[in-house]
Amino acid sequence: MKNKVQFQKGFSLSEFMKHYGAEAQCRKALFQWRWPEGYVCPECRGSSYCALKTRAVYQCNRCHHQHSLISGTIFSATKLPLTTWFLAIHLLTQAKTGLSALSLRRQLGVSYNTAWGIKQKLMQVMKERDDSKPLSGIIQLDDVYWGGERRGGKRGRGSPNKIPFLAAVSVNEKGHPIAMNMNVVNGFRSKEIAKWAKRHLDADSLVVSDGLACFAAVTDAGCQHIGIVTGGGPESVSLETFTWVNTMISNVKRSINGAYHAINHKHLPRYLAEFCYRFNRRFVLEDMLPRLCYVAARTPPMPMRLLKMAEFHG
Ligand SMILES: [Zn+2]
């Protein structure tokens, strides 16, 4: 399975240039992803329109309302050509690990601020996409702190600079990982766990945890829960039940620390989402760009002001 992932073809830069190297190609593609059934006027639902020659703006033949290709999407109000966005999407989705805003800046030839904004917006798309897809089946669940030791003496009472998050991996009958999500929470309390489970797990899932008391709250979301008390020592991580969730926790820490010198803690949810998004689509490298663009066209605008604020938990 590992080899299948590592040696798949992916989407080369020359293929990218062939398909999306020109602005007109990107516009055409985005138009199709945004309106797969044909253009629909947001005002009157009319489908007959004419395209302005100079900009990617469409005018309804019935009510004359003008609507741009990017308004109402994550690309809204951008001054950059779509080719720059598409290249960013290509680079971010084909990269093996995270790509920092600094490397993105160099490869796109834009300012650091612009590269940072593009990256945060695309990570936001990834987050919203995976947040809308709950995990199901057998789920390994564990509690983690970002910025501190995983298993300290004061479990559940992290210092203020440690960010608590949940790591959940769904596995198949053979114990192979299918998908995962990692979400920052406001502490490991029953209420928080119940809220998280309702949003991120299908009812009827079977949750396996190490028995931290609050995890029983997943039953509030209709899940079954098996808590395996491990004693909490370092030997507990080798328990087969938690193999994947533990592997993913070390991988995400290594990946984020390796790709980024320091990340602002308030943006941690997006970095976690980027890691999970890539993992969840590891078998479909060739389709990464169309898939992300399709969702980007459905993700509401995210002004820089909002982007710089702390991410909502959950
Ligand atoms: Zn109209």
Side-chain angles (χ1 to χ4, degrees):
M1 187 172 62
K2 201 172 180 183
N3 289 351
K4 210 165 112 195
V5 174
Q6 276 177 355
F7 295 110
Q8 65 178 312
K9 205 157 63 82
F11 196 65
S12 70
L13 188 58
S14 62
E15 278 173 295
F16 169 83
M17 292 309 288
K18 202 171 103 197
H19 288 95
Y20 308 111
E23 190 67 8
Q25 290 174 305
C26 296
R27 281 184 189 176
K28 195 176 164 201
L30 185 58
F31 185 95
Q32 275 162 1
W33 289 320
R34 184 161 190 195
W35 294 293
E37 313 291 325
Y39 183 77
V40 179
C41 170
E43 284 299 302
C44 74
R45 314 301 296 162
S47 59
S48 148
Y49 69 97
C50 56
L52 300 198
K53 285 214 167 62
T54 46
R55 293 173 298 143
V57 170
Y58 313 101
Q59 179 171 299
C60 175
N61 284 342
R62 200 197 292 171
C63 76
H64 304 298
H65 178 84
Q66 291 189 348
H67 196 67
S68 108
L69 176 60
I70 56 170
S71 64
T73 75
I74 198 77
F75 307 113
S76 178
T78 186
K79 291 191 173 61
L80 297 167
L82 283 176
T83 45
T84 302
W85 279 96
F86 276 42
L87 181 57
I89 292 172
H90 174 74
L91 295 170
L92 284 183
T93 54
Q94 298 295 316
K96 267 194 164 168
T97 56
L99 193 66
S100 69
L102 205 60
S103 351
L104 202 56
R105 184 197 76 161
R106 283 192 211 109
Q107 302 202 50
L108 298 180
V110 295
S111 73
Y112 178 81
N113 252 346
T114 302
W116 186 89
I118 291 176
K119 178 161 170 67
Q120 295 291 326
K121 285 180 184 183
L122 294 177
M123 291 198 299
Q124 180 68 23
V125 174
M126 295 175 176
K127 177 165 167 50
E128 292 194 17
R129 180 55 172 170
D130 274 3
D131 280 352
S132 72
K133 297 175 100 167
L135 298 179
S136 60
I138 307 167
I139 290 147
Q140 302 176 358
L141 177 62
D142 209 353
D143 55 302
V144 198
Y145 282 104
W146 181 264
E149 281 304 309
R150 253 198 92 217
R151 290 281 189 257
K154 292 194 296 178
R155 192 178 186 199
R157 277 175 282 150
S159 67
N161 56 2
K162 291 182 188 174
I163 313 287
F165 70 93
L166 293 170
V169 180
S170 67
V171 297
N172 65 16
E173 304 278 309
K174 288 180 181 162
H176 294 151
I178 307 294
M180 66 176 169
N181 76 42
M182 294 183 184
N183 291 104
V184 171
V185 286
N186 285 317
F188 302 118
R189 291 184 298 271
S190 299
K191 215 176 119 189
E192 274 294 303
I193 303 298
K195 195 174 106 188
W196 170 84
K198 281 174 190 162
R199 180 151 183 222
H200 296 288
L201 304 182
D202 270 347
D204 298 331
S205 301
L206 172 64
V207 177
V208 185
S209 80
D210 64 358
L212 185 66
C214 64
F215 285 153
V218 298
T219 53
D220 284 10
C223 302
Q224 269 182 283
H225 176 240
I226 300 179
I228 297 171
V229 181
T230 58
E235 69 280 2
S236 66
V237 297
S238 62
L239 268 184
E240 204 177 323
T241 325
F242 298 111
T243 305
W244 277 108
V245 75
N246 280 305
T247 303
M248 292 312 162
I249 291 167
S250 11
N251 286 356
V252 74
K253 288 188 169 181
R254 200 178 323 119
S255 170
I256 294 180
N257 286 327
Y260 314 105
H261 285 299
I263 61 164
N264 190 324
H265 280 184
K266 68 184 178 184
H267 302 310
L268 178 64
R270 287 193 205 109
Y271 288 95
L272 293 174
E274 179 191 30
F275 179 81
C276 294
Y277 185 93
R278 194 175 283 120
F279 178 83
N280 291 342
R281 287 153 190 82
R282 64 201 179 283
F283 294 116
V284 292
L285 273 183
E286 276 188 83
D287 294 341
M288 290 283 255
L289 184 137
R291 280 167 170 242
L292 190 69
C293 283
Y294 183 89
V295 187
R298 282 156 186 75
T299 304
M302 189 99 189
M304 284 291 258
R305 178 177 46 81
L306 261 183
L307 218 49
K308 288 188 170 171
M309 280 167 52
E311 182 55 58
F312 292 107
H313 291 165

